[in-house]
Amino acid sequence: MGNTFLNLAILIIFHFSMPTFSMKLTTILTDQSALLALKDHVIHDPENVLTTNWSTSAPVCNWFGVSCGSKHRRVTALNLTGLGLVGTLPPHLGNLSFLSLLYVRNNSFYGGLPVQLSNLRRLKYLSFGNNSFSGEIPSWLGSLTELRTLFLYQNNFKGVMPFSLAYLSKLEVLYLFENQVSGSIPSTIFNISSLQEIDLSYNMLSGSIPSVPRDLLLLEVIDFTTNNLTGHIPKDMFDHLPNLKGLHWSLNLLSGRIPASLFKCKELQVLSLAFNQMEGSLPIEIGNFSQLQDIYIGRNHFEGEIPKQFVNLTLLRLFDCSHGNFTGIIPHEIGNLNNLNWLNLAFNNIAGSIPPQLFNISTLRMISLDTNQLSGHLPSNMEELYLDFNHLADSIPMYISNASQLTLLDVSSNYFSGSIPDNLGNLRNLKILNLASNNLTSSGMSFLFSLTNCRVLEKFLFHSNPFISGELPRVVGNLSSSLEEFSASSCNIRGSIPNEIGNLSHLINIELGGNKLIGQVPTTIGGLEEL
Ligand SMILES: *[C@@H]1O[C@H](CO)[C@@H](O)[C@H](O)[C@H]1NC(C)=O
Ligand SMILES: *[C@@H]1O[C@H](CO)[C@@H](O)[C@H](O)[C@H]1NC(C)=O
Ligand SMILES: *[C@@H]1O[C@H](CO)[C@@H](O)[C@H](O)[C@H]1NC(C)=O
Ligand SMILES: *[C@@H]1O[C@H](CO)[C@@H](O)[C@H](O)[C@H]1NC(C)=O
Ligand SMILES: *[C@@H]1O[C@H](CO)[C@@H](O)[C@H](O)[C@H]1NC(C)=O
Ligand SMILES: *[C@@H]1O[C@H](CO)[C@@H](O)[C@H](O)[C@H]1NC(C)=O
Ligand SMILES: *[C@@H]1O[C@H](CO)[C@@H](O)[C@H](O)[C@H]1NC(C)=O
Ligand SMILES: *[C@@H]1O[C@H](CO)[C@@H](O)[C@H](O)[C@H]1NC(C)=O
Ligand SMILES: *[C@@H]1O[C@H](CO)[C@@H](O)[C@H](O)[C@H]1NC(C)=O
Ligand SMILES: *[C@@H]1O[C@H](CO)[C@@H](O)[C@H](O)[C@H]1NC(C)=O
Ligand SMILES: *[C@@H]1O[C@H](CO)[C@@H](O)[C@H](O)[C@H]1NC(C)=O
Ligand SMILES: *[C@@H]1O[C@H](CO)[C@@H](O)[C@H](O)[C@H]1NC(C)=O
């Protein structure tokens, strides 16, 4: 009787003074039962870690992934990273009142986050990243005011970003990337002065970019890639970000100009604004970013000259301002950029000649200059070379076959004349060869012989070269068995179609029309046939 009364009294006290009492009343046994509840909620444990290791015959503090405080011997960290666990999180985890680190990333937990986790006021490091959690991002996360890192990335969280996240005044890293979060970014998120990195990429966020009201001396990376953010970048956005290194805002709907305040970010390494609706010019101050490595600003409505100052960016690796309305020339000082490996200036109005110095940059792996107003001759040394739709003339030099890493060579729609080099077969890695729409010649189609050495060739186009004459040699049947597309239409080829063409077993599309050929493409070829 007395006992029951006592229990009842404790229960009542417990009920009415919960926070303080619950702390006092919990013990390592509470921690143990919370972890056992988690074990119960795991329905698949492929490495049998919990099944075999989390046994009541061993002290909780020795369990795999569990760490305890040295004095109070209570569970302070639970790290179950990458165990392939499948299951849900039980509310009991909210009883691990000394927990400061909770990592369950790289597993397959699903369902929502239990509200009881909001009791874990000592939590500093929280990662639910790369699981299958769903539901809304709970607003109670904003009450975990000791949090330094909050990782919710790669899950199925929906709904909005709770405003309360801006109350996490000690937060250093916030990763919400690859979820389905919508609505706008909390307007006061940049009031968190401890912020170092914020990654909200690959969500469905809309609205505008919040302004930065105070110095964020530690903030280095803002990644908003692939959302639906709109509006202008606030003019004073960069007044308080002296250590910003990565600005990743591509694939949004941002408009307006690049604000002048950007040039206060002297540490900037990555400027990524591609696929937006921005306008105006690329300011000459771009040359002041001595740390800049990547300029990725294509697919906007930028115009004006490409500032020649960019040639002073000696750390530059990537320069992509394709699909704009840029004018100007490619300065020969571009040869100074000896870290450059990606140059894409395609679809602009850049004029002048291609400076030969460009081809002295040994790091260059991709260059795309197609659809500009370039003129002059052609040199080479890289993996992918797109020069189509320019005004390049003269012949394709023999030395192009020295560019042994080349996987793609596209010189289509230029004014190339002269003979097609007979040594293109030295480009053993070539997958795509496009020589179409030029005035190239080849006597007896001799260039075809060497191309039989290109065993990975998938696409081979040389149509619309009216001076290519002669018969289609039988050796055409020895071209790569991976060849899927072959186009020789609108040349001056005559004679009969060799039966050997039927050996090209993977051919999907063959075009031979506009020649003086007789006969038929053998019906062994599976796909579309056009004569
Ligand atoms: C459980 O795992 C821990 C940490 O790996 C290890 O030290 C301990 O011996 C294991 N205990 C059992 C019973 O397997
Ligand atoms: C968590 O566990 C993973 C895998 O065992 C380990 O790589 C990582 O360093 C651990 N992290 C912490 C903070 O203990
Ligand atoms: C811990 O949490 C659960 C659910 O939140 C509760 O039912 C349980 O009794 C709690 N207390 C202890 C001491 O395990
Ligand atoms: C998650 O798994 C991937 C692939 O297994 C691994 O590369 C990555 O380092 C893991 N992440 C963590 C945080 O353990
Ligand atoms: C996510 O975790 C799984 C293990 O559950 C791992 O195989 C995968 O590589 C991880 N993905 C990433 C991007 O880390
Ligand atoms: C910004 O943070 C400070 C504390 O660092 C706080 O006093 C202030 O209320 C916050 N402002 C907003 C708008 O949240
Ligand atoms: C952006 O909005 C459009 C139209 O509402 C939608 O189709 C698209 O999926 C959205 N994209 C992202 C990344 O949210
Ligand atoms: C950029 O550098 C030039 C010198 O190259 C200097 O005159 C100018 O003041 C700098 N601009 C900024 C915003 O620092
Ligand atoms: C380039 O300018 C023309 C003429 O003003 C405009 O029609 C076109 O949309 C612009 N292109 C881009 C990519 O902004
Ligand atoms: C590059 O920098 C040097 C030294 O700072 C300067 O003299 C030169 O004018 C700059 N070149 C361009 C094109 O801005
Ligand atoms: C290319 O580099 C070589 C060797 O460094 C040098 O002799 C040559 O002048 C350079 N060519 C151009 C066009 O800069
Ligand atoms: C090909 O040569 C003809 C005649 O010399 C010329 O009219 C035509 O513009 C040239 N076409 C190309 C694409 O160079």
Side-chain angles (χ1 to χ4, degrees), residues 220 238 242-247 262 265-272 286 289-294:
E220 293 190 350
F238 304 102
N243 290 307
L244 192 67
K245 292 189 167 69
L247 181 70
L262 179 66
C265 303
K266 301 226 180 298
E267 306 297 321
L268 201 68
Q269 295 174 358
V270 176
L271 175 63
S272 175
I286 194 85
F289 283 133
S290 59
Q291 304 302 312
L292 205 54
Q293 296 174 3
D294 296 355

Side-chain angles (χ1 to χ4, degrees), residues 131-198:
N131 278 282
S132 302
F133 288 111
S134 56
E136 308 243 325
I137 296 177
S139 63
W140 52 255
L141 283 170
S143 62
L144 302 175
T145 51
E146 291 300 312
L147 278 184
R148 306 301 198 273
T149 64
L150 176 56
F151 295 161
L152 303 176
Y153 62 87
Q154 292 172 327
N155 278 290
N156 299 317
F157 288 113
K158 290 192 182 64
V160 301
M161 256 180 95
F163 198 81
S164 61
L165 295 185
Y167 303 145
L168 297 172
S169 61
K170 296 178 180 166
L171 197 65
E172 294 167 2
V173 185
L174 177 61
Y175 286 167
L176 298 184
F177 60 86
E178 294 179 48
N179 280 289
Q180 291 144 49
V181 183
S182 55
S184 52
I185 302 173
S187 61
T188 56
I189 198 77
F190 289 123
N191 194 33
I192 304 177
S193 61
S194 49
L195 210 54
Q196 296 173 7
E197 208 176 319
I198 177 169

Side-chain angles (χ1 to χ4, degrees), residues 284 287-288 307-313 333:
I284 57 169
N288 294 24
K308 62 179 186 307
Q309 285 76 3
F310 83 88
V311 301
N312 266 356
L313 303 173
E333 293 92 340

Side-chain angles (χ1 to χ4, degrees), residues 137 155-161 176-186 199-208 223-230 250-253:
I137 296 177
N155 278 290
N156 299 317
F157 288 113
K158 290 192 182 64
V160 301
M161 256 180 95
L176 298 184
F177 60 86
E178 294 179 48
N179 280 289
Q180 291 144 49
V181 183
S182 55
S184 52
I185 302 173
D199 189 341
L200 311 178
S201 60
Y202 298 91
N203 276 293
M204 294 151 71
L205 293 163
S206 54
S208 55
D223 196 336
F224 294 159
T225 308
T226 312
N227 278 286
N228 263 336
L229 298 171
T230 53
S250 289
L251 292 144
N252 277 287
L253 303 165

Side-chain angles (χ1 to χ4, degrees), residues 399-421:
Y399 66 70
I400 201 157
S401 66
N402 293 341
S404 57
Q405 301 306 307
L406 215 55
T407 58
L408 180 152
L409 176 59
D410 185 346
V411 298
S412 62
S413 303
N414 276 291
Y415 296 107
F416 285 114
S417 57
S419 157
I420 300 175

Side-chain angles (χ1 to χ4, degrees), residues 4-24:
T4 310
F5 177 73
L6 191 65
N7 280 350
L8 193 66
I10 288 176
L11 202 67
I12 290 167
I13 293 166
F14 181 66
H15 189 76
F16 286 104
S17 50
M18 214 176 40
T20 44
F21 264 86
S22 70
M23 293 283 176
K24 279 180 191 157

Side-chain angles (χ1 to χ4, degrees), residues 277-334:
Q277 293 166 10
M278 297 191 62
E279 60 188 26
S281 60
L282 184 60
I284 57 169
E285 286 86 359
I286 194 85
N288 294 24
F289 283 133
S290 59
Q291 304 302 312
L292 205 54
Q293 296 174 3
D294 296 355
I295 302 177
Y296 184 48
I297 58 168
R299 303 267 181 177
N300 277 286
H301 304 298
F302 289 122
E303 59 190 5
E305 282 194 16
I306 292 188
K308 62 179 186 307
Q309 285 76 3
F310 83 88
V311 301
N312 266 356
L313 303 173
T314 49
L315 300 179
L316 205 61
R317 295 177 311 193
L318 179 151
F319 189 27
D320 188 333
C321 65
S322 59
H323 294 266
N325 265 332
F326 282 111
T327 58
I329 57 157
I330 307 175
H332 66 85
E333 293 92 340
I334 196 168

